[in-house]
Amino acid sequence: MTVPAAPGPAPAAAPGPVLACRQWADRRADVDPLTGTVTSDPRSAAASPADDAALECALRMATAWGTHVVAVTVGPPGSEAVLREALAAGAERAVRVDAPEPGDAASVAAAIAGVAGMVGARAVLCGDMGWGRGSGAVPALVAAVLDARQALGLVDLATDPEQPGVVTGWRRLDGGRRQHLRAAAPFVASVEGGVALLRRAPLAGVLGAGQATIEVVAPAGTCPVPSWTPSSTGPGRPRTHVVDGPDPDDPVRRRVELLTGLTAERPARRVVRAEPVDAAHQLIAALADWGEWS
Amino acid sequence: MSAPGSLTASDNAASSDAARFDAVVVGAGPAGSAAALVLARRGHRVCLLERGPYPGSKNMYGGVVYPRILDELLPGWWEEAPVQRWVTRRATMMLTADQALTVDFRSEAWGQPPYNGATALRPDFDAWLAAKAVDAGALLVTSTTATGLLRDGPGGTVGGVTTDRPGGDLRARVVVACDGVNSFLAKEAGLYGKPDPANYTLGAKEVLALPAATIEDRFALGPGQGADFEIIGCTGDIAGGGFLYTNRDSLAVGVVLHLPALAAAGVRPEQLIAGLKAHPAVAPLVAGGELVEYSAHLIPEGGYDMMPTLTGPGMLVAGDAAAMCLAAGIWLEGVNFAIGSGMAAGESAAEALERGDVSEGGLSGYERRLRDGFVLQDHRRLRHAPHLLLSDRVQRRYPQLACDIVEDLFTVTNPEPKPGIGRLVRRRVASSGVRLRHLAADSWRALRTFG
């Protein structure tokens, strides 16, 4: 399924920097199975493989677009380690949003969006999940705050030097399917850890990063998050349907066909190209036709 | 788009001076950090290179540190050093299959400043010591491995190291190799002869989590006090020993195994640790402990006789890289020798740099310092201890003999009268197969070694 870029501002000829988000978290946090208490050691904290992949994508993107990378994290002074890694690998500038704890997704998103505005970023890249396998909501919230396009959960990301500000990529869908995306800046993208392997930082970069100045800014508050009331917090238990069985007098073959639907007529496959809202309506209508939506 | 006044990575990449130092210290363990600290305090530009993500991250250590060597370097170190427990109880256990003879000593004085020894977690201790070097001005570079030596000075003088990073040459007038027991730098420099596996042991340990109060109850310790148990006779046919140390809320229990004997026996170290933990004298101490770590590491136990040439043109070797680990039975020490040799290396390198002579002769003050101090004096005096302690009689026959004699001594066999102690000892010696001349010879060797 190919989704063309939605109408928006024309791609910028000389885009601003690419913002690479890096979450600082303990890789080996110990969770007490009885109390749920989390004990973490800042020394084993690091960026996740997905954040490393996002940084690598940002560096490649910046090279292709003729711009530079700004690395950002939200956390205490200890989190500057992940920024220095980014500087060593090739980021030109690093910003830490000062926070004793990273906070919830809304406050982290607001902080990142604030930095994106501060540096004039045209693209924001994040890992799709950190070590804590959180909600994954931060990139979408950043996109909402920035009113930018979003391309989330990418398993492949490519840039074209001939089209600065434009990326193409694939993302994973349910059922083993893939969706091809094309997005023009400004956009927020999140990538899986396997998208790219972070380059080995050169020694000169490491030496320079150790002494580089990290900009520290205050948190920007929080961003509006859609509120909802969960209908249920337990496991999903769909109702059972009473389905009439085939006539027991039918031959075995006929009964197997009826039970498995092997020979049943299926509606013709249709490929629909539509705007998201219209596509959603068409999906609902199709489900209703099939008796799967009431 | 850089912040005003900020130094960016690319700025540094453009500057070749960034990778040029007075000294590069390879390995941020106790030896390396001590050397870097001394050099930095003397005003030299030092790079402290560490292959792990942070100092201590690659260390496997389950022992006691004796940090009094820090008295001069870091006065009042005990007020801030990250120790687990101050060791106030030292015990030596001799085990047979179903017997245990323990010589147990405790001193309350060891639980007060300036203390004696402490259990410590090396990721804490090494990071603390490395931070002192950084505070003094050393540049710590982590996650970077030294892969070789740069030899571009006159006469093949070492002029720095290559690393596993792109553009990874670090140039320095002096290289201090503190890269651990398998020092590839010392070997590349030709400072080691042909390696002999008989000079190495394999230390394997488990860390068992237990509540602090449980540890204090079981080992009869006060809050903050620790115990150090050294054990012989627990490694079957393999020469070696065992240990049991108390951390704050965990125990380190393990074995040290003579490498050739381990290879010949075809036994896995964890089997021996399991056997040690199941021994009736040890099992109650470790019962209920949750296994939180298993690790193993080579130990250079050959002592003085396996040490490399300590100095080369533009290069010094210190710590485990120079085999400065003392395994002399009642004295099992390494960290203090590492710090001592690192300090001596730092002072000698600083002197050489200030004189402008980093040739082998210019760095010869290093070996002189070591010979004048405890590092080489202790090793030289105890050079025969490893051979004596790893002998079959000391490993197996004497523990059995001692346990049998003590069992006889304390076994009441009424209505028979008590035997005389002399008669009892003679009877046991005769039945043990230990010849008196061997006993006398070993006693004489022990006297000469430890006396």
Side-chain angles (χ1 to χ4, degrees):
Chain A
M1 187 180 348
T2 299
V3 180
V18 180
L19 191 67
C21 306
R22 297 181 57 76
Q23 185 188 12
W24 180 74
D26 187 357
R27 285 173 290 184
R28 304 188 196 111
D30 186 40
V31 182
D32 188 311
L34 296 179
T35 64
T37 306
V38 178
T39 308
S40 60
D41 181 351
R43 286 173 309 195
S44 58
S48 69
D51 281 352
D52 280 347
L55 173 61
E56 179 61 34
C57 289
L59 291 167
R60 293 179 191 178
M61 200 178 290
T63 302
W65 295 356
T67 182
H68 62 275
V69 171
V70 178
V72 60
T73 192
V74 182
S79 64
E80 290 181 4
V82 294
L83 296 179
R84 294 194 189 282
E85 282 176 4
L87 290 169
E92 281 205 6
R93 185 178 172 189
V95 181
R96 176 173 68 85
V97 181
D98 190 31
E101 296 287 334
D104 59 15
S107 59
V108 171
I112 291 171
V115 173
M118 181 182 88
V119 302
R122 295 301 304 277
V124 178
L125 264 78
C126 314
D128 70 330
M129 67 171 65
W131 293 108
R133 304 174 70 91
S135 67
V138 168
L141 290 169
V142 173
V145 175
L146 295 175
D147 194 21
R149 299 176 183 87
Q150 50 182 297
L152 306 184
L154 298 178
V155 295
D156 180 64
L157 183 64
T159 53
D160 181 357
E162 301 300 318
Q163 291 185 293
V166 177
V167 294
T168 56
W170 291 89
R171 74 170 173 176
R172 196 191 303 275
L173 296 178
D174 291 343
R177 286 176 293 176
R178 296 282 193 273
Q179 183 181 37
H180 188 221
L181 297 171
R182 179 176 179 278
F187 63 82
V188 176
S190 71
V191 298
E192 291 191 2
V195 169
L197 188 65
L198 180 59
R199 66 194 66 185
R200 183 87 170 131
L203 182 63
V206 173
L207 295 174
Q211 300 165 49
T213 301
I214 306 284
E215 295 172 58
V216 181
V217 299
T222 188
C223 67
V225 180
S227 63
W228 70 90
T229 304
S231 58
S232 168
T233 56
R237 292 195 175 88
R239 288 181 186 172
T240 52
H241 294 271
V242 179
V243 180
D244 293 332
D247 186 343
D249 295 331
D250 281 348
V252 171
R253 177 174 176 164
R254 176 63 185 156
R255 280 185 283 158
V256 169
E257 286 174 352
L258 289 171
L259 285 170
T260 59
L262 278 174
T263 57
E265 284 195 8
R266 299 170 188 278
R269 179 175 295 182
R270 288 189 296 149
V271 177
V272 177
R273 294 181 186 279
E275 290 300 311
V277 173
D278 186 32
H281 286 305
Q282 291 200 43
L283 281 172
I284 290 170
L287 289 169
D289 285 348
W290 300 338
E292 302 289 344
W293 186 280
S294 57
Chain B
M1 188 188 289
S2 297
S6 68
L7 178 63
T8 67
S10 56
D11 289 338
N12 280 276
S15 167
S16 60
D17 285 346
R20 208 171 274 279
F21 295 86
D22 292 331
V24 169
V25 180
V26 180
S33 292
L37 174 56
V38 169
L39 277 158
R41 281 189 179 170
R42 297 271 289 254
H44 296 288
R45 191 158 186 265
V46 188
C47 178
L48 179 57
L49 201 61
E50 167 59 40
R51 71 189 170 113
Y54 56 88
S57 60
K58 293 288 183 186
N59 266 306
M60 175 265 153
Y61 186 76
V64 175
V65 298
Y66 297 94
R68 289 296 304 276
I69 181 65
L70 290 174
D71 284 356
E72 185 186 338
L73 195 63
L74 297 167
W77 54 269
W78 56 81
E79 291 173 359
E80 53 174 311
V83 305
Q84 291 283 300
R85 289 178 179 273
W86 298 107
V87 173
T88 57
R89 184 181 173 196
R90 284 203 60 174
T92 299
M93 297 179 85
M94 284 181 276
L95 300 185
T96 68
D98 56 359
Q99 297 165 307
L101 170 60
T102 304
V103 179
D104 196 340
F105 176 78
R106 61 187 306 151
S107 169
E108 293 302 302
W110 289 351
Q112 296 163 14
Y115 301 100
N116 180 47
T119 53
L121 301 179
R122 288 285 296 278
D124 296 337
F125 189 84
D126 288 14
W128 168 75
L129 197 54
K132 295 294 178 190
V134 171
D135 290 346
L139 177 64
L140 174 65
V141 175
T142 58
S143 302
T144 305
T145 304
T147 53
L149 294 168
L150 291 169
R151 287 173 173 274
D152 47 7
T157 299
V158 172
V161 295
T162 58
T163 73
D164 62 343
R165 290 192 178 275
D169 289 357
L170 270 174
R171 300 200 171 273
R173 293 159 66 196
V174 178
V175 170
V176 184
C178 305
D179 49 339
V181 57
N182 257 332
S183 175
F184 293 109
L185 295 184
K187 288 173 184 168
E188 184 184 332
L191 301 180
Y192 266 104
K194 189 181 176 190
D196 180 359
N199 285 326
Y200 296 89
T201 57
L202 180 78
K205 72 160 185 180
E206 290 183 1
V207 175
L208 306 174
L210 278 174
T214 304
I215 292 172
E216 285 154 13
D217 283 349
R218 289 186 185 177
F219 289 85
L221 301 168
Q225 294 182 336
D228 162 5
F229 281 55
E230 310 293 349
I231 306 165
I232 60 171
C234 60
T235 51
D237 293 337
I238 303 169
F243 57 84
L244 175 60
Y245 304 116
T246 55
N247 297 319
R248 189 177 301 124
D249 48 13
S250 65
L251 303 175
V253 58
V255 291
V256 174
L257 305 165
H258 194 225
L259 209 52
L262 175 63
V267 177
R268 294 192 60 83
E270 60 266 31
Q271 291 175 271
L272 295 167
I273 296 176
L276 175 61
K277 291 194 301 181
H279 191 279
V282 176
L285 300 174
V286 302
E290 180 197 353
L291 178 64
V292 293
E293 179 187 321
Y294 176 83
S295 52
H297 200 276
L298 283 181
I299 304 171
E301 285 208 1
Y304 189 79
D305 290 338
M306 73 169 288
M307 284 185 186
T309 304
L310 298 172
T311 308
M315 181 173 175
L316 301 169
V317 191
D320 268 10
M324 287 170 182
C325 176
L326 186 70
I330 53 175
W331 295 301
L332 297 171
E333 301 169 21
V335 172
N336 48 336
F337 285 92
I339 295 172
S341 60
M343 288 167 59
E347 287 160 5
S348 307
E351 265 181 17
L353 288 166
E354 287 151 16
R355 279 201 311 270
D357 178 8
V358 295
S359 67
E360 195 170 351
L363 291 167
S364 61
Y366 176 47
E367 193 158 339
R368 191 189 69 247
R369 279 186 168 83
L370 294 180
R371 290 195 184 284
D372 290 346
F374 75 100
V375 175
L376 282 188
Q377 285 188 22
D378 284 354
H379 269 100
R380 194 166 43 203
R381 185 181 306 123
L382 297 164
R383 66 191 299 175
H384 300 302
H387 309 296
L388 175 66
L389 293 165
L390 293 175
S391 69
D392 178 64
R393 287 193 292 274
V394 172
Q395 284 286 311
R396 290 196 297 164
R397 297 196 177 216
Y398 293 157
Q400 182 71 60
L401 178 60
C403 287
D404 287 344
I405 289 172
V406 174
E407 183 165 341
D408 286 352
L409 194 63
F410 292 132
T411 301
V412 178
T413 56
N414 297 152
E416 289 181 27
K418 295 189 190 309
I421 293 178
R423 183 178 154 213
L424 188 153
V425 170
R426 281 195 300 277
R427 193 176 67 199
R428 273 298 180 183
V429 170
S431 65
S432 70
V434 174
R435 294 180 182 277
L436 278 175
R437 62 187 171 87
H438 289 151
L439 194 58
D442 288 340
S443 301
W444 175 242
R445 284 173 67 194
L447 193 64
R448 285 185 59 193
T449 301
F450 297 106

